[in-house]
Short mmCIF file of all heavy atoms in Angstrom, two decimals:
data_model
loop_
_atom_site.label_atom_id
_atom_site.label_comp_id
_atom_site.label_asym_id
_atom_site.label_seq_id
_atom_site.Cartn_x
_atom_site.Cartn_y
_atom_site.Cartn_z
N GLY A 346 -11.85 -0.60 0.25
CA GLY A 346 -11.44 -0.05 -1.03
C GLY A 346 -12.42 -0.43 -2.13
O GLY A 346 -13.33 -1.23 -1.94
N GLY A 347 -12.21 0.17 -3.29
CA GLY A 347 -13.08 -0.15 -4.42
C GLY A 347 -12.83 0.80 -5.57
O GLY A 347 -11.87 1.58 -5.56
N SER A 348 -13.69 0.72 -6.56
CA SER A 348 -13.61 1.57 -7.75
C SER A 348 -14.76 2.56 -7.73
O SER A 348 -15.92 2.15 -7.61
CB SER A 348 -13.68 0.72 -9.01
OG SER A 348 -12.56 -0.15 -9.10
N VAL A 349 -14.44 3.84 -7.84
CA VAL A 349 -15.46 4.89 -7.82
C VAL A 349 -15.14 5.91 -8.90
O VAL A 349 -14.02 5.98 -9.39
CB VAL A 349 -15.54 5.59 -6.45
CG1 VAL A 349 -15.96 4.62 -5.35
CG2 VAL A 349 -14.23 6.26 -6.10
N GLN A 350 -16.12 6.71 -9.21
CA GLN A 350 -15.90 7.82 -10.14
C GLN A 350 -15.39 9.04 -9.37
O GLN A 350 -15.59 9.16 -8.16
CB GLN A 350 -17.19 8.15 -10.87
CG GLN A 350 -17.62 7.07 -11.85
CD GLN A 350 -18.76 7.54 -12.75
OE1 GLN A 350 -19.60 8.31 -12.33
NE2 GLN A 350 -18.77 7.04 -13.97
N ALA A 351 -14.76 9.93 -10.08
CA ALA A 351 -14.28 11.16 -9.48
C ALA A 351 -15.43 11.87 -8.76
O ALA A 351 -16.55 11.93 -9.29
CB ALA A 351 -13.67 12.06 -10.54
N GLY A 352 -15.12 12.38 -7.57
CA GLY A 352 -16.13 13.01 -6.75
C GLY A 352 -16.80 12.08 -5.76
O GLY A 352 -17.52 12.54 -4.87
N GLY A 353 -16.55 10.80 -5.92
CA GLY A 353 -17.17 9.81 -5.04
C GLY A 353 -16.47 9.69 -3.70
O GLY A 353 -15.48 10.38 -3.42
N SER A 354 -16.99 8.78 -2.87
CA SER A 354 -16.47 8.60 -1.51
C SER A 354 -16.33 7.12 -1.19
O SER A 354 -17.01 6.27 -1.77
CB SER A 354 -17.45 9.22 -0.50
OG SER A 354 -17.59 10.61 -0.69
N LEU A 355 -15.44 6.85 -0.27
CA LEU A 355 -15.26 5.52 0.28
C LEU A 355 -14.94 5.65 1.76
O LEU A 355 -14.45 6.70 2.21
CB LEU A 355 -14.12 4.77 -0.42
CG LEU A 355 -14.32 4.32 -1.86
CD1 LEU A 355 -13.00 3.85 -2.46
CD2 LEU A 355 -15.36 3.22 -1.95
N ARG A 356 -15.16 4.58 2.50
CA ARG A 356 -14.74 4.54 3.90
C ARG A 356 -13.83 3.34 4.09
O ARG A 356 -14.29 2.19 4.01
CB ARG A 356 -15.95 4.44 4.83
CG ARG A 356 -15.58 4.65 6.30
CD ARG A 356 -16.75 4.29 7.20
NE ARG A 356 -16.58 4.78 8.55
CZ ARG A 356 -17.22 4.29 9.60
NH1 ARG A 356 -18.07 3.28 9.45
NH2 ARG A 356 -17.03 4.80 10.81
N LEU A 357 -12.58 3.63 4.31
CA LEU A 357 -11.61 2.57 4.53
C LEU A 357 -11.55 2.25 6.01
O LEU A 357 -11.70 3.13 6.86
CB LEU A 357 -10.23 3.00 4.03
CG LEU A 357 -10.15 3.56 2.61
CD1 LEU A 357 -8.70 3.85 2.24
CD2 LEU A 357 -10.80 2.63 1.61
N ALA A 358 -11.31 1.00 6.32
CA ALA A 358 -11.23 0.56 7.71
C ALA A 358 -9.94 -0.22 7.93
O ALA A 358 -9.52 -0.97 7.05
CB ALA A 358 -12.43 -0.28 8.10
N CYS A 359 -9.36 -0.05 9.10
CA CYS A 359 -8.17 -0.79 9.50
C CYS A 359 -8.47 -1.44 10.85
O CYS A 359 -8.52 -0.76 11.87
CB CYS A 359 -6.98 0.16 9.62
SG CYS A 359 -5.48 -0.58 10.32
N ALA A 360 -8.69 -2.74 10.81
CA ALA A 360 -9.00 -3.48 12.02
C ALA A 360 -7.74 -4.06 12.62
O ALA A 360 -6.99 -4.76 11.94
CB ALA A 360 -10.00 -4.59 11.71
N ALA A 361 -7.50 -3.74 13.89
CA ALA A 361 -6.26 -4.16 14.55
C ALA A 361 -6.53 -5.23 15.59
O ALA A 361 -7.58 -5.23 16.24
CB ALA A 361 -5.60 -2.96 15.20
N SER A 362 -5.58 -6.12 15.74
CA SER A 362 -5.66 -7.14 16.78
C SER A 362 -4.26 -7.51 17.22
O SER A 362 -3.28 -7.22 16.54
CB SER A 362 -6.40 -8.38 16.27
OG SER A 362 -5.70 -8.96 15.18
N GLY A 363 -4.18 -8.14 18.40
CA GLY A 363 -2.90 -8.65 18.87
C GLY A 363 -2.13 -7.72 19.77
O GLY A 363 -1.00 -8.03 20.17
N TYR A 364 -2.72 -6.57 20.14
CA TYR A 364 -2.07 -5.71 21.11
C TYR A 364 -3.12 -5.04 21.98
O TYR A 364 -4.28 -4.94 21.58
CB TYR A 364 -1.17 -4.66 20.44
CG TYR A 364 -1.87 -3.68 19.53
CD1 TYR A 364 -2.48 -2.54 20.02
CD2 TYR A 364 -1.88 -3.89 18.15
CE1 TYR A 364 -3.10 -1.64 19.18
CE2 TYR A 364 -2.49 -3.01 17.30
CZ TYR A 364 -3.10 -1.87 17.81
OH TYR A 364 -3.71 -0.99 16.97
N THR A 365 -2.69 -4.60 23.17
CA THR A 365 -3.65 -4.06 24.12
C THR A 365 -3.48 -2.57 24.37
O THR A 365 -4.37 -1.95 24.92
CB THR A 365 -3.51 -4.79 25.47
OG1 THR A 365 -2.16 -4.65 25.94
CG2 THR A 365 -3.84 -6.27 25.32
N SER A 366 -2.36 -2.00 23.95
CA SER A 366 -2.12 -0.59 24.21
C SER A 366 -3.16 0.26 23.51
O SER A 366 -3.54 -0.02 22.36
CB SER A 366 -0.73 -0.19 23.72
OG SER A 366 -0.58 1.22 23.83
N SER A 367 -3.58 1.33 24.18
CA SER A 367 -4.51 2.28 23.57
C SER A 367 -3.80 3.58 23.23
O SER A 367 -4.45 4.56 22.85
CB SER A 367 -5.67 2.56 24.53
OG SER A 367 -5.17 3.13 25.73
N ARG A 368 -2.48 3.58 23.32
CA ARG A 368 -1.71 4.80 23.06
C ARG A 368 -0.76 4.56 21.90
O ARG A 368 0.44 4.38 22.08
CB ARG A 368 -0.95 5.21 24.31
CG ARG A 368 -1.84 5.50 25.50
CD ARG A 368 -1.07 5.79 26.76
NE ARG A 368 -1.95 6.08 27.87
CZ ARG A 368 -1.53 6.32 29.10
NH1 ARG A 368 -0.24 6.29 29.38
NH2 ARG A 368 -2.40 6.58 30.06
N ASN A 369 -1.33 4.57 20.73
CA ASN A 369 -0.58 4.20 19.53
C ASN A 369 -0.75 5.23 18.43
O ASN A 369 -1.74 5.96 18.40
CB ASN A 369 -1.07 2.85 19.00
CG ASN A 369 -1.19 1.81 20.09
OD1 ASN A 369 -0.22 1.51 20.79
ND2 ASN A 369 -2.38 1.26 20.27
N CYS A 370 0.20 5.27 17.55
CA CYS A 370 0.07 6.06 16.34
C CYS A 370 -0.33 5.12 15.21
O CYS A 370 0.40 4.16 14.92
CB CYS A 370 1.38 6.76 16.00
SG CYS A 370 1.28 7.77 14.50
N VAL A 371 -1.49 5.37 14.63
CA VAL A 371 -1.96 4.57 13.51
C VAL A 371 -2.09 5.50 12.30
O VAL A 371 -2.69 6.55 12.39
CB VAL A 371 -3.31 3.90 13.81
CG1 VAL A 371 -3.78 3.09 12.60
CG2 VAL A 371 -3.19 3.00 15.03
N ALA A 372 -1.50 5.08 11.21
CA ALA A 372 -1.44 5.94 10.03
C ALA A 372 -1.94 5.21 8.80
O ALA A 372 -1.90 3.98 8.70
CB ALA A 372 -0.02 6.42 9.80
N TRP A 373 -2.40 6.00 7.85
CA TRP A 373 -2.74 5.50 6.52
C TRP A 373 -1.70 6.02 5.53
O TRP A 373 -1.36 7.20 5.54
CB TRP A 373 -4.12 5.98 6.09
CG TRP A 373 -5.24 5.25 6.74
CD1 TRP A 373 -5.92 5.60 7.86
CD2 TRP A 373 -5.84 4.02 6.28
NE1 TRP A 373 -6.90 4.67 8.14
CE2 TRP A 373 -6.86 3.69 7.18
CE3 TRP A 373 -5.59 3.17 5.20
CZ2 TRP A 373 -7.66 2.55 7.05
CZ3 TRP A 373 -6.38 2.04 5.06
CH2 TRP A 373 -7.39 1.74 5.97
N PHE A 374 -1.22 5.12 4.70
CA PHE A 374 -0.29 5.44 3.62
C PHE A 374 -0.92 5.00 2.30
O PHE A 374 -1.84 4.19 2.28
CB PHE A 374 1.04 4.70 3.81
CG PHE A 374 1.87 5.21 4.96
CD1 PHE A 374 1.57 4.83 6.27
CD2 PHE A 374 2.95 6.02 4.74
CE1 PHE A 374 2.33 5.29 7.33
CE2 PHE A 374 3.72 6.49 5.79
CZ PHE A 374 3.42 6.11 7.09
N ARG A 375 -0.38 5.51 1.22
CA ARG A 375 -0.80 5.01 -0.09
C ARG A 375 0.42 4.91 -1.00
O ARG A 375 1.42 5.60 -0.81
CB ARG A 375 -1.87 5.91 -0.72
CG ARG A 375 -1.42 7.33 -1.04
CD ARG A 375 -2.63 8.15 -1.51
NE ARG A 375 -2.25 9.53 -1.82
CZ ARG A 375 -3.14 10.47 -2.12
NH1 ARG A 375 -4.44 10.20 -2.16
NH2 ARG A 375 -2.73 11.70 -2.39
N GLN A 376 0.28 4.02 -1.95
CA GLN A 376 1.40 3.78 -2.85
C GLN A 376 0.91 3.44 -4.24
O GLN A 376 0.01 2.60 -4.41
CB GLN A 376 2.28 2.64 -2.33
CG GLN A 376 3.56 2.44 -3.10
CD GLN A 376 4.49 1.47 -2.41
OE1 GLN A 376 4.06 0.59 -1.66
NE2 GLN A 376 5.79 1.61 -2.67
N VAL A 377 1.50 4.10 -5.22
CA VAL A 377 1.27 3.80 -6.62
C VAL A 377 2.48 3.01 -7.11
O VAL A 377 3.61 3.31 -6.71
CB VAL A 377 1.10 5.09 -7.43
CG1 VAL A 377 0.98 4.78 -8.92
CG2 VAL A 377 -0.11 5.88 -6.95
N SER A 378 2.23 2.03 -7.93
CA SER A 378 3.31 1.19 -8.43
C SER A 378 4.44 2.04 -9.01
O SER A 378 4.20 2.93 -9.83
CB SER A 378 2.77 0.24 -9.50
OG SER A 378 3.79 -0.59 -9.98
#
Side-chain angles (χ1 to χ4, degrees):
S348 296
V349 298
Q350 291 191 327
S354 298
L355 290 169
R356 190 190 195 201
L357 309 184
C359 172
S362 62
Y364 62 84
T365 57
S366 173
S367 61
R368 300 175 179 177
N369 313 303
C370 180
V371 179
W373 284 94
F374 289 79
R375 63 187 179 187
Q376 188 170 26
V377 175
S378 181

